[in-house]
Amino acid sequence: MIQLKNITKDYTRGAEKVHALGGVDLSIDRGEFISIVGPSGSGKTTLLHILGCLDRPTGGTMTIDGQTVGDLPESALVRLRRKKIGFVFQQFHLIPGLSVFDNISLPLLFSRNGNGKGENRDRIMSLIGMVGLERRARHHPNQLSGGEMQRVAVARAMVNDPEIIFADEPTGNLDTANSEKIFRLLESLHTKGLSIVMVTHNPDLAGRAGRIVTLRDGRIVSPPAGRQY
Amino acid sequence: MIQLKNITKDYTRGAEKVHALGGVDLSIDRGEFISIVGPSGSGKTTLLHILGCLDRPTGGTMTIDGQTVGDLPESALVRLRRKKIGFVFQQFHLIPGLSVFDNISLPLLFSRNGNGKGENRDRIMSLIGMVGLERRARHHPNQLSGGEMQRVAVARAMVNDPEIIFADEPTGNLDTANSEKIFRLLESLHTKGLSIVMVTHNPDLAGRAGRIVTLRDGRIVSPPAGRQY
Ligand SMILES: Nc1ncnc2c1ncn2[C@@H]1O[C@H](COP(=O)(O)OP(=O)(O)OP(=O)(O)O)[C@@H](O)[C@H]1O
Ligand SMILES: Nc1ncnc2c1ncn2[C@@H]1O[C@H](COP(=O)(O)OP(=O)(O)OP(=O)(O)O)[C@@H](O)[C@H]1O
Ligand SMILES: [Mg+2]
Ligand SMILES: [Mg+2]
């Protein structure tokens, strides 16, 4: 489904260059559930944003279903992102002026059938219930706890029925019970056929994915036997 | 040192009232290391902000070293915050236009001896080393990973030699190794005499504090035997 070959990503700051990713090879098949682990600063968010077509690599090639992404025009990438990809950001990126309900329904503006939040009301309410935010549907982001904001971000990534969900630390601000709830939500979507790529610092959750990919200093490494990273 | 009696906090949204805290009694002695745990939305951040004099309760009384905080003028509270308290925010709140070094040194503008970052350069660099950010000192927040931003927030809370540190999920965005590093940093400050109040979703770290305070629906509860929450 997604193939990365020798992917590099450099950030240039004046004279200094940060090699965030240095030659990453990775294949993700349709229907996989992958966790990406590694120390803080090892390049997980950078890798996820490239996989989710939110950022372009500095070098290397990426193909999606056989098509080279580098050759695609921006408009085709945008269409991909909107219809096929759901993304949970590490910093949530909720819209301040909108309610929880409206934040979650935002991707529907771009949905396949063009239906807005009106026709999809039941589905949005059901997602809100699944992440445990029924009593916060009308709240704005600045009226939410850290974990509540995170759960809105998770619900928003699912509302458009994507084919693949990229989740950057979806439980980092959650207690054990809520982390379990969110993880099981991802598992149930996986059972329905979605591909899931989840960055996590939680070793237990990482171990419950189908496969663990370990990053260190911008490269994929094999974890030592018996240890995640 | 800090005494809370029947502390309540309500948020009013139009006709709706959210009872974030409902009658909290809590005593924190000088030199204690306390962890606050509880489900997402249970009121931990709200409680921490009241303890750290960043927010006023709706009802109840709070005393610090015998003095009733409600009677203090805003200027006295500001002085308290700047000289005695270090705070790690759940959402970091770093200043976008400033480097890591300058972000960490910000509280020094208000320090007891009035020394700025110039005289304190060695101390700031040492803190930067302790949180593992030596190669990121000149970066700006938008050039940092989630965990790197969190570590800047931790270092900033320590730079002013506070008497008490309030840390709201200081390891939520960190891998195991970095979480351990940050926790041991807090432990070493505790050994030197600082009081530490740490909100955490990490049961292992919570268990290594001197005492665990458990919140549920805005109230303090006793955890069932053998379980944190
Ligand atoms: N300005 C506000 N208006 C209305 N409700 C609010 C406001 N701020 C917070 N709340 C609500 O108060 C409750 C407690 O919030 P708080 O941030 O203290 O929770 P928390 O225990 O820190 O949660 P988390 O673990 O997710 O960070 C939450 O349910 C939240 O929705
Ligand atoms: N715009 C930028 N300019 C310079 N360096 C950057 C920029 N963005 C990220 N970096 C650096 O690239 C490295 C990788 O960042 P990334 O966000 O991918 O890490 P991460 O593995 O997600 O970390 P964490 O677990 O802390 O979230 C980090 O060391 C970071 O400082
Ligand atoms: Mg990251
Ligand atoms: Mg909180």
Side-chain angles (χ1 to χ4, degrees), chain B residues 61-95:
Chain B
T61 48
M62 173 170 166
T63 57
I64 296 183
D65 290 336
Q67 220 178 355
T68 305
V69 174
D71 300 343
L72 293 175
E74 188 59 28
S75 55
L77 276 185
V78 169
R79 215 167 26 236
L80 238 179
R81 257 180 255 155
R82 288 176 175 176
K83 293 179 184 255
K84 297 203 172 192
I85 293 169
F87 208 103
V88 185
F89 295 93
Q90 189 170 5
Q91 307 300 326
F92 319 148
H93 296 321
L94 304 184
I95 311 293

Side-chain angles (χ1 to χ4, degrees), chain A residues 11-227:
Chain A
Y11 293 112
T12 313
R13 292 174 24 91
E16 181 201 18
K17 227 184 217 174
V18 175
H19 303 293
L21 291 177
V24 167
D25 297 326
L26 180 64
S27 290
I28 299 175
D29 296 327
R30 198 165 278 282
E32 276 207 85
F33 189 147
I34 293 176
S35 57
I36 298 178
V37 302
S40 172
S42 57
K44 305 179 299 295
T45 292
T46 303
L47 176 58
L48 212 70
H49 281 236
I50 287 171
L51 285 168
C53 300
L54 292 168
D55 199 10
R56 287 188 187 264
T58 307
T61 48
M62 174 171 165
T63 57
I64 297 182
D65 291 335
Q67 218 177 0
T68 304
V69 172
D71 301 342
L72 292 174
E74 187 62 26
S75 55
L77 276 185
V78 169
R79 214 164 30 235
L80 241 179
R81 255 179 257 155
R82 285 175 177 177
K83 292 173 186 259
K84 297 202 173 194
I85 292 169
F87 209 102
V88 184
F89 294 93
Q90 188 170 6
Q91 308 298 327
F92 320 147
H93 295 321
L94 305 183
I95 310 294
L98 300 179
S99 68
V100 163
F101 184 94
D102 288 346
N103 260 288
I104 291 171
S105 56
L106 219 50
L108 290 174
L109 294 173
F110 313 119
S111 66
R112 271 157 259 214
N113 49 17
N115 285 341
K117 57 189 177 186
E119 296 83 351
N120 284 289
R121 186 180 171 73
D122 290 347
R123 192 139 74 80
I124 299 165
M125 288 315 295
S126 144
L127 270 172
I128 286 175
M130 282 195 245
V131 297
L133 289 176
E134 17 334 48
R135 298 184 303 152
R136 296 287 179 264
R138 299 245 211 77
H139 282 225
H140 286 208
N142 66 348
Q143 297 164 333
L144 296 175
S145 76
E148 289 167 345
M149 285 195 273
Q150 184 153 46
R151 289 182 268 155
V152 175
V154 171
R156 181 181 63 186
M158 300 171 170
V159 75
N160 224 2
D161 253 347
E163 294 181 14
I164 181 163
I165 287 183
F166 295 99
D168 202 344
E169 311 236 18
T171 66
N173 276 280
L174 299 175
D175 52 285
T176 311
N178 274 298
S179 294
E180 188 63 29
K181 199 183 221 157
I182 292 302
F183 186 78
R184 288 194 192 180
L185 187 45
L186 290 170
E187 277 185 322
S188 69
L189 292 174
H190 177 237
T191 308
K192 283 204 242 148
L194 272 75
S195 311
I196 313 273
V197 182
M198 174 184 76
V199 170
T200 184
H201 281 313
N202 185 321
D204 305 311
L205 298 185
R208 286 157 67 183
R211 165 160 69 117
I212 298 175
V213 169
T214 305
L215 275 181
R216 182 163 297 140
D217 296 324
R219 291 174 182 278
I220 293 181
V221 300
S222 305
R227 274 207 54 196

